[in-house]
Structures are given as C-alpha cells and as structure tokens.
Amino acid sequence: MVMVMVVGKEAGSSSNDLPTENTPLLFSFAHKPQALSSQLKTFANVFIAIVGAGVLGLPYTFMRTGWLTSLLMILVVAALTYHGMMLLIRTRHKLGDSPYPIASFGDLGFAVSGSIGRFAVDSMIVLSQAGFCVGYLIFISNTLGNLFNSSSSLVAPKIWGVSAKSIYIWTCFPFQLGLNSIASLTLLAPLSIFADIVDLGAMGVVIAEDFQIFMKQMPAVEAFGTLSTFFYGLGVAVYSFEGIGMALPLESEMKDRSKFGKILGLAMLFIAVMYGAFGTMGYFAFGENTKDIITANIGKGLLSTLVQLGLCINLFFTFPLMMHPVYEVFERRFWSGNYCLWMRWMLVLVVSLVALFVPNFADFLSLVGSSTCCALGFVLPALFHYLAFKEDMSWRQASADWGLIISGVFLGVLGTWYSLLEIFAIKA
C-alpha cells in the first residue's frame, strides 16, 4: 500500500505542465528512464505495496469471524485480488498506449469510459487512502493510550478527564499539518520502506510471543462465526490485500513482463499464508480476549514497548505519503493541478475529525475494506475489463466479469452495513 505513494509522488511533483482530465496521473513516471526490475525485486515490491498496518487487526478479526472461516476468507480474497490485478493488466494490453500511456488505474478508467471512469477510480482512491490515514490515527492514539495508561481498567484511558485518544490525535495534528505541507515527498519516501520493515519485525515479535502464550494457556477458540461476522471479516481481509493501484506501475517496471502474472501469484500466495499464520496464532494465543490491535495483548515489556512505539512513529510519517494521491486528485480537479496549502490542511482536519469518532481499529478496517476496497479490487477491474473486451469475449467470459461485479457490489454493501452496525454498537 505504501509503494503507491512513492511512485505517485514523483509523478505529481516533477511535471511542469498543468494536468488536464486526460493527462495520465503518472505521466512523467511513464516517460522517465528507469532501471527495470528483476523478478525478485518485483516480488518484493508487490509485498511492500500490499502489506501494511492492517495486518495487526487480523487476530481480532479471526476471533470475531472464526479461525477456519477467516483462513478460507484470506485465501479467497487473495485469489480474487490477484484476478482483479490481472484483469487490469489484460485491459491495458488490449487498449495499448494511444493516445496517452496508461500508467495508472485512473488512466485506465479514463481510457475505457472517459471522465466517468476516472471519476469512479479517483473517488474510491480518495476514500480508501483517506481511510487508511484515519486508521493510522486510530492505531497511534489507541496504542499510545494503552501503552502509557497505568490503570488496568477496561475503560478507555483518560488524561486530565479527557480521553487519551483525543489528546494524542490533536497532538499529532499540528505536526501533520507541517508534514503534509511538503510538496515533494522525496525525503519522506524511504520511511515507507522502513515502515514495512518495522511491520515485519513487529509481526515476528508478536508471533513468537503468541506461540509461547498459546503453549502455556491454550484458550478455547471457535472455527466459525455468524453471518454478520463473516461480512465483517471480509471487509478486513479485503483491506489487508488492498494494493491493486500498484498493478499497472509494477508491471511496467518489470524486465520480463510475461512473467509478471507468475511473480504476482507467488507473492499473493506468500502474503496469504503469512496473514493466515499471523491471524491464527494471535487468536489461538489469547482466545476471546484478543484485542483489536494485537500488540496491545503482549504486555508492556521493553520489547513490546519498542515495537509499538516504532509502529506509531512509522505510521506517523507514512500518513503524508498515503494522503498524497488524495491531494493530487483534489488539486487536479479543484485547483488546476497547482499546489494548495489550505486544501491540504482542510483534508488533514477532516481525517483527524473522523478518527476521533471511530473507537475501534479493526472495525474501521472492515468499513474501509467493504466500502471502497471491494470497488477498487473487484468491481472496477471487472467492469473495465468487460467494457474493453465485450466485443470479443464469449458469454462465459462476460458472465465471469459480471459475476465478479455483482459479487463485489453485494459483498461491499453488506460488509459496509455490518461494519457500521459494529461501530455504532460499540459507541452506544
């Protein structure tokens, strides 16, 4: 997910021409000579593009949904996400690069269905990227609140009568205004890679702790959940695999493009197995006491504290990287493609306000995954593929596209509904 920002940032900041509706979002990136990626580097880039902080909410999701249901769900979502990415690749190959290179998801939407297609992609990207940043603030504030709360009470920690979550979010706010004022994010880009390294380190620490705790207490676990928790878990799973926007840029960077599908498939399988192991071990270790952020379960020792602080620091600096596509869309549409400081600050304020009113990290992952990532990962790729190939495809191929479109809409609507029920039920 983070890698989207590194590529999109350079494209948006290096072009001197004002963008128009039919200018590729990554136009300069497409024309800039680059060293092409090997198969190993492509594998690593796919991993970095997909794996993010959302993985820390998987054990809680396994607890809510049931470990066997969740494992099957992870595998199915991985397969569908792979299929959606490959649909984008095939659609670009069908359309070619006329009149402009198709370097991004939005470019593909414009090539297939004009302004409506680009607007659909832009809208979902804005909602999903801003949603990621809301999740970051929830994670940071809840983690710091739990980390520095001396009370063992289950009630949300307070500082001087004010919720610790509110204080930490508003403490981050002025610093985020400064970071998000930076027009070029070149200096911040390396932190996105470092964030993923910290994520991997945190996962390793948590899995080791989980195994030791599981061997000691072996709590009762459930294999299956209810219908409502199924849709809830589906949203988190889709969120965890959200990285479809990187499919076209990554394929463009590869030396041997004919092997991109194979490398992508191996990477998705590896990530699915890793997610399954992480979610299962976290749930098996703590059972029904699994918290929405799994690092909160492993106590307040030195190692745990360092891991949680490292995650908070990295998400703090990843925030402006993840918001950059939002700024590109808003500045393109409302400010003639020019840098607009006050618009950026208003967007940071909106994201911060939303984070204040969402109590649970995993619940918000489910909401974002269902409401926007289903559309980005399943509905739009299948729709664009159908529109590009409808004159040449058989009824079986058309049925496959429409089946994914209808399934994506159905799962997205129900997942969004159940996620909202969970969020408001906790607040009630």
Side-chain angles (χ1 to χ4, degrees), residues 271-293:
I271 293 170
V273 171
M274 182 186 71
Y275 279 179
F278 186 79
T280 302
M281 285 305 304
Y283 175 36
F284 277 26
F286 300 102
E288 63 180 11
N289 295 317
T290 305
K291 297 183 180 179
D292 63 318
I293 303 173

Side-chain angles (χ1 to χ4, degrees), residues 258-281:
S258 65
K259 295 183 179 179
F260 179 76
K262 174 184 175 182
I263 298 301
L264 178 63
L266 290 174
M268 296 298 288
L269 178 60
F270 177 78
I271 293 170
V273 171
M274 182 186 71
Y275 279 179
F278 186 79
T280 302
M281 285 305 304

